[in-house]
Amino acid sequence: MKNICVVHTKIKQEIKAEFNLKNQGFKTWLPMIKRVRGSLSSPRLSYEPLFPTYLFVYIDLMKENWFKINNTYGVKYLITFDGKPSLMNNRVLEEIKSSIDESQMKYKLSIGNK
C-alpha cells in the first residue's frame, strides 16, 4: 500500500527534486498554482509551487527503498518521525484539494492507493 509522505526540497528546486524522484521510480505530486506577474499591459502567466520547498511523494514502505530520497538532487530531506517517514493523512490532502480552485492548478490531485 502506498503512503503519502512529504519531501522538503532545497529552495527553488522543487521541480528538479520532482524530476529526479520520478526518474528513480517514485510517484510524486507537486501542486503548482497559476500566478499572473508583470504589469496590466503585459501580464505574464506562470506556475509556482503551492507549497514552496515541499512536495508529496507516494511510497510503499515495504517495497521501495525510501532511504535514497534524502540523497536525491534537489531534496533537503524526507520528513520523518522517529526515523521513519511521517505519513500524511488522506483526509488532510482532501481538505487541501477542496480548498483550492482547481482551475488555478496545473496538476490535479488524485488520492488513494495508487
Side-chain angles (χ1 to χ4, degrees), residues 8-25:
H8 184 53
T9 68
K10 294 178 180 175
I11 296 172
K12 304 266 186 207
Q13 294 191 24
E14 300 91 352
I15 294 171
K16 287 180 187 176
E18 180 187 37
F19 176 81
N20 290 318
L21 287 168
K22 284 183 175 182
N23 278 345
Q24 294 177 59

Side-chain angles (χ1 to χ4, degrees), residues 64-82:
E64 294 177 305
N65 181 6
W66 55 267
F67 296 101
K68 63 185 178 180
I69 291 174
N70 287 333
N71 296 320
T72 301
Y73 182 72
V75 170
K76 242 183 182 176
Y77 53 84
L78 176 67
I79 296 181
T80 60
F81 178 75
D82 203 23

Side-chain angles (χ1 to χ4, degrees), residues 1-5 21-28 57-69 78 85 114:
M1 180 172 124
K2 294 222 177 201
N3 299 288
I4 303 166
C5 301
L21 287 168
K22 284 183 175 182
N23 278 345
Q24 294 177 59
F26 291 102
K27 181 179 178 191
T28 63
V57 64
Y58 294 81
I59 304 172
D60 186 336
L61 297 175
M62 299 299 180
K63 294 181 182 176
E64 294 177 305
N65 181 6
W66 55 267
F67 296 101
K68 63 185 178 180
I69 291 174
L78 176 67
K114 302 251 175 181

